[in-house]
Amino acid sequence: MSGNSIVKVSGRGVYVAGNDIDTDRIIPARYLKCITFDELGPALFYDMRFSEDGTSKSHVLDDPKHAGAEILISDNNFGCGSSREHAPQAIQKFGFKAIVAGSFAEIFHGNCTTLGIPCVVMTQEDRSGLTGLLASDPELDLTIDIERLQIICANNVFSITMKQSVREAFLDAAYDPLDTLMADQDAINATAAKLGYTYNPG
Amino acid sequence: MGRNLFQKVWDAHMVRQMESGQYQLFIALHLIHEVTSPQAFGMLRDKHLKVAYPGRTFATVDHIIPTDDQTRPLEDNMAEQMIQVLSAETKEHGIEYFAPESGSQGIVHVIGPELGLTQPGMTICCGDSHTSTHGAFGCISLGIGTSQVRDVLASQTIAMDKLKVRRILVEGSLQTGVTAKDVILHIIRTLGVNGGVGFAYEYAGQVIEKMSMEERMTVCNMSIEGGARCGYVNPDETTFEYLRDRERVPTGSDFERAVEKWKSFASDSDAVYDDEVVINASDIMPTVTWGVTPGQAISIEESVPNPESARGLEKDLISDALDYMKLDANQPIKGTRIDVAFIGSCTNGRLSDFQDVAELLKGRKVADHVRAIAVPGSEKVDTKARELDLHKVFEEAGFEWRKPGCSMCLAMNPDKLVGDEVCASSSNRNFIGRQGSPTGRTILMSPIMVAAAAVKGGVADVREVFGLQREESKG
């Protein structure tokens, strides 16, 4: 199996507002030079958090009230842009376990799923409700329930949506598909044989 | 009921449906590069896995390679390490690697087609979102993350949900000075940066049919900027003629057989689509971006928007973008001073891009305050351009002619904006900080519009700067 099933994710939340937050904002390209993903956490949202001379811009992520938050909340088309897995890797290495947004860019969403970061979709109205609660009390815990498709926060219940196949994959611990992909070699080889592409050796 | 190309290619490569409901899709061609792939080899090693089909993966370096001095070892130690890891891993796993100075190195989305590795009817993956470029040949071509690069190396397959297909018909004929780049910027502006989520785009109609392969690649390249996971054009005679005699394409009777097979992948005339959009070519003007997403675009004749005329989040998006770009609401975009002009990238770094510009640039000079660079997309593009003396035209005009690479498109190499410089750029993304400076400003446009801006020293109308005959629109 690729990991444990993910049914619920609980933790404190932090709201990074904005539509179309792209992968270059999540982690600027100059931090992508690496041969492993281990060191990417500190560069998360770097240019939103720090000036060119390295001084803090007092971004919400660096507000001590939100230290240790594990659920990232944002708006529409989150993660648009590059296919680079550096973006979800940086989010995960920073300490986030799940993302709530109005919508997600597709490649980013797929990358998060493979890494075991549930991306759940919530309406703008509900996001306002949820972020309003967090604004008044950043210490509140929220729980994302993937089985019931809801977020519970201080006795409030919000609906969320998720692609069915992705939801199943989290519940069945199959979000990292490699083992499943490797399971039927004969079927793979049969498809390859049927295609029969040939290249000139050059 | 007929099938469209997406369905046909999907059916041909579908291995099976998995328990989650997702499909397992065989990948005909896998392209890798130094930024998103070295980590995947480490993942394979952790799991004691081998590369399943090494003959279907090809490697090159493009993102981090300097375009001025490529002497090894590279000055940037981490960049050097990334190349070394890629070189060693490809050697160990029996993967063909197009190294710098091999004669075939270049931007991954330029070399796939030019070598003839990209062929109609294929599924193609690469750890880069602009893999959508290869759709120009009638392929399902998908950008993937590093874990999926691992999946392809280990199994030659990925797990994926089926996409819907939207046909975008561009009908009529383009006006003088309007290019493939303007077509795709106009489409993204019209449908939005997330309008394509869940879709593959099929580009069709008179304008697309008339386009050369290089123009079709420009259009497909930016599908992802419109939110579509991939985009494609049905293969036709233009496609087959482009592929004939390419290095890796079958020859003689094998070629004729291949053409028959390629033809069979084209959408049937009675194919069904999930959505259809018609774009009138006469509505498309030379188009430039004014904001921080490729959808924040206007024609050269328009003014930047006013946040006061928008509502809710859209209002904030506009005012944030104007603040970042240091533009005033309602300001005409024409005349916006630029500091840098960049022609290159996987969107517009092919031979015809440099030919089109050279034709206009002859005898003209880049404005004194503008730093201008032209970066061929591959060693082959560079060689051909030099054979045609194009580099001389650029150099005489005041451009630097560089060595191939991704260059200033994404600033993972020494080519970067400094401070809040404004760049007229033929690349694909105007995201905040994209070109290497956290405050750098990017204005996307076609290569000939970049040339016009370079000469004028500010955003300009290519038709006016170079005296192109303006045709009345044929509505």
Side-chain angles (χ1 to χ4, degrees):
Chain A
M1 284 329 262
S2 57
N4 301 322
S5 68
I6 298 178
V7 182
K8 286 182 181 174
V9 181
S10 296
R12 289 191 290 126
V14 60
Y15 177 44
V16 176
N19 284 345
D20 304 325
I21 291 185
D22 59 70
T23 48
D24 281 76
R25 255 188 281 179
I26 294 171
I27 180 163
R30 61 186 188 280
Y31 296 106
L32 303 189
K33 283 192 207 146
C34 61
I35 42 181
T36 73
F37 292 126
D38 300 340
E39 310 298 326
L40 297 180
L44 181 70
F45 292 121
Y46 191 88
D47 291 334
M48 290 165 75
R49 293 165 55 208
F50 301 100
S51 308
E52 279 180 86
D53 61 6
T55 54
S56 172
K57 291 182 180 173
S58 305
H59 188 267
V60 63
L61 283 186
D62 297 307
D63 183 339
K65 284 196 302 231
H66 294 290
E70 291 173 312
I71 295 170
L72 179 64
I73 305 162
S74 190
D75 295 307
N76 294 323
N77 202 27
F78 187 77
C80 60
S82 167
S83 62
R84 60 178 78 131
E85 194 168 299
H86 304 65
Q89 290 275 3
I91 288 172
Q92 191 172 53
K93 299 287 186 294
F94 192 86
F96 289 109
K97 293 184 176 149
I99 310 172
V100 181
S103 65
F104 293 91
E106 218 156 321
I107 304 179
F108 176 83
H109 182 275
N111 286 339
C112 285
T113 303
T114 307
L115 296 179
I117 308 169
C119 291
V120 303
V121 172
M122 202 178 191
T123 64
Q124 191 177 337
E125 196 185 343
D126 281 349
R127 289 199 315 280
S128 305
L130 179 64
T131 54
L133 288 173
L134 296 178
S136 54
D137 184 1
E139 297 288 326
L140 284 178
D141 263 327
L142 52 145
T143 296
I144 301 175
D145 187 331
I146 291 169
E147 194 155 35
R148 296 179 180 197
L149 289 176
Q150 53 190 215
I151 290 180
I152 299 150
C153 180
N155 296 324
N156 294 276
V157 178
F158 301 96
S159 293
I160 52 173
T161 55
M162 200 168 190
K163 224 183 236 177
Q164 181 58 16
S165 61
V166 173
R167 177 173 167 265
E168 301 258 328
F170 280 113
L171 298 177
D172 296 344
Y175 47 88
D176 180 340
L178 185 57
D179 292 343
T180 317
L181 293 175
M182 301 284 289
D184 193 346
Q185 287 298 329
D186 291 344
I188 297 174
N189 294 337
T191 309
K194 194 175 70 182
L195 292 170
Y197 285 111
T198 48
Y199 287 123
N200 287 332
Chain B
M1 192 169 70
R3 291 182 301 162
N4 58 47
L5 178 137
F6 183 88
Q7 288 164 329
K8 292 183 190 186
V9 176
W10 180 276
D11 291 348
H13 293 80
M14 207 261 283
V15 176
R16 64 188 178 117
Q17 187 168 22
M18 305 188 301
E19 279 161 31
S20 66
Q22 284 197 307
Y23 294 88
Q24 181 171 9
L25 198 64
F26 189 83
I27 300 306
L29 172 65
H30 184 211
L31 301 165
I32 61 174
H33 61 80
E34 77 285 8
V35 176
T36 59
S37 313
Q39 308 88 342
F41 288 102
M43 295 174 180
L44 278 197
R45 196 159 294 121
D46 289 346
K47 291 182 171 273
H48 310 289
L49 294 171
K50 291 188 303 184
V51 176
Y53 285 85
R56 289 181 182 273
T57 295
F58 297 86
T60 194
V61 287
D62 51 12
H63 286 59
I64 52 126
I65 192 93
T67 63
D68 47 4
D69 182 2
Q70 297 184 344
T71 314
R72 303 281 302 276
L74 299 177
E75 210 167 282
D76 180 339
N77 185 42
M78 185 48 84
E80 176 64 29
Q81 265 190 60
M82 290 164 81
I83 297 187
Q84 283 182 12
V85 169
L86 187 72
S87 169
E89 296 285 11
T90 50
K91 193 169 174 195
E92 184 183 330
H93 294 280
I95 292 167
E96 193 171 357
Y97 166 49
F98 303 113
E101 299 188 7
S102 63
S104 300
Q105 176 266 341
I107 305 175
V108 65
H109 310 308
V110 175
I111 69 166
E114 84 186 352
L115 289 166
L117 295 171
T118 302
Q119 296 173 14
M122 283 182 163
T123 46
I124 301 179
C125 278
C126 173
D128 189 287
S129 59
H130 295 111
T131 307
S132 58
T133 311
H134 306 261
F137 292 80
C139 304
I140 298 179
S141 48
L142 307 158
I144 56 175
T146 300
S147 295
Q148 283 182 301
V149 172
R150 173 207 64 183
D151 294 349
V152 179
L153 290 173
S155 72
Q156 203 61 33
T157 65
I158 57 166
M160 160 164 196
D161 289 297
K162 205 168 179 176
L163 298 170
K164 292 180 283 184
V165 183
R166 171 180 292 142
R167 179 154 71 152
I168 301 176
L169 291 158
V170 189
E171 299 289 12
S173 53
L174 294 177
Q175 299 179 51
T176 308
V178 177
T179 69
K181 180 64 159 285
D182 303 299
V183 172
I184 188 62
L185 285 173
H186 183 87
I187 291 172
I188 297 166
R189 172 193 183 185
T190 308
L191 301 178
V193 285
N194 56 359
V197 173
F199 283 97
Y201 280 172
E202 175 176 312
Y203 301 101
Q206 293 150 350
V207 169
I208 305 292
E209 284 163 23
K210 252 205 245 169
M211 281 183 179
S212 69
M213 288 314 295
E214 298 197 344
E215 291 172 313
R216 292 177 188 180
M217 284 188 249
T218 299
V219 172
C220 290
N221 173 276
M222 289 187 71
S223 302
I224 189 71
E225 310 310 335
R229 186 74 191 274
C230 62
Y232 67 84
V233 176
N234 282 304
D236 60 9
E237 288 306 319
T238 306
T239 321
F240 310 141
E241 281 316 303
Y242 175 95
L243 287 170
R244 189 190 293 276
D245 300 328
R246 297 261 154 197
E247 220 169 290
R248 300 304 173 95
V249 169
T251 53
S253 59
D254 287 343
F255 179 77
E256 300 310 323
R257 265 198 298 282
V259 168
E260 286 315 304
K261 186 172 170 182
W262 293 340
K263 276 183 186 164
S264 71
F265 285 106
S267 296
D268 296 327
S269 55
D270 59 345
V272 177
Y273 298 89
D274 300 284
D275 191 30
E276 189 167 289
V277 172
V278 180
I279 304 272
N280 189 345
S282 61
D283 292 341
I284 309 174
M285 296 283 150
T287 301
V288 299
T289 58
W290 58 267
V292 294
T293 74
Q296 290 175 324
I298 51 178
S299 92
I300 186 66
E301 295 173 356
E302 287 175 76
S303 298
V304 303
N306 186 340
E308 295 311 317
S309 55
R311 279 187 300 184
L313 278 171
E314 183 64 24
K315 185 173 182 163
D316 295 340
L317 276 181
I318 294 175
S319 83
D320 289 352
L322 290 178
D323 283 350
Y324 182 81
M325 294 300 291
K326 299 183 178 150
L327 293 170
D328 296 325
N330 299 324
Q331 172 186 335
I333 194 71
K334 197 156 80 174
T336 305
R337 187 183 154 97
I338 66 155
D339 307 291
V340 178
F342 168 57
I343 300 179
S345 85
C346 60
T347 316
N348 282 118
R350 298 185 179 79
L351 187 67
S352 61
D353 295 311
F354 298 106
Q355 284 175 309
D356 292 347
V357 171
E359 205 166 297
L360 301 177
L361 210 52
K362 257 180 215 152
R364 305 297 288 264
K365 290 279 180 216
V366 171
D368 285 343
H369 68 273
V370 174
R371 180 157 57 96
I373 63 171
V375 187
S378 70
E379 292 180 345
K380 287 193 193 313
V381 171
D382 184 34
T383 305
K384 280 185 200 149
R386 285 175 182 279
E387 281 167 15
L388 297 169
D389 281 341
L390 300 183
H391 65 301
K392 285 188 186 157
V393 177
F394 278 86
E395 284 171 351
E396 277 161 21
F399 270 82
E400 282 181 60
W401 184 267
R402 296 289 190 87
K403 290 180 174 151
C406 294
S407 184
M408 205 175 261
C409 177
L410 85 172
M412 283 192 69
N413 52 68
D415 302 342
K416 291 182 172 115
L417 295 184
V418 180
D420 67 353
E421 280 181 331
V422 177
C423 180
S425 182
S426 75
S427 56
N428 42 53
R429 288 197 176 128
N430 52 337
F431 295 158
I432 289 172
R434 170 78 179 181
Q435 293 190 292
S437 161
T439 50
R441 294 172 283 170
T442 305
I443 301 181
L444 301 178
M445 58 187 80
S446 73
I448 57 173
M449 282 286 283
V450 174
V455 167
K456 212 65 183 158
V459 178
D461 190 332
V462 64
R463 300 167 299 188
E464 292 168 6
V465 175
F466 298 113
L468 303 180
Q469 190 75 42
R470 288 184 63 164
E471 290 172 15
E472 286 306 307
S473 67
K474 303 168 189 124

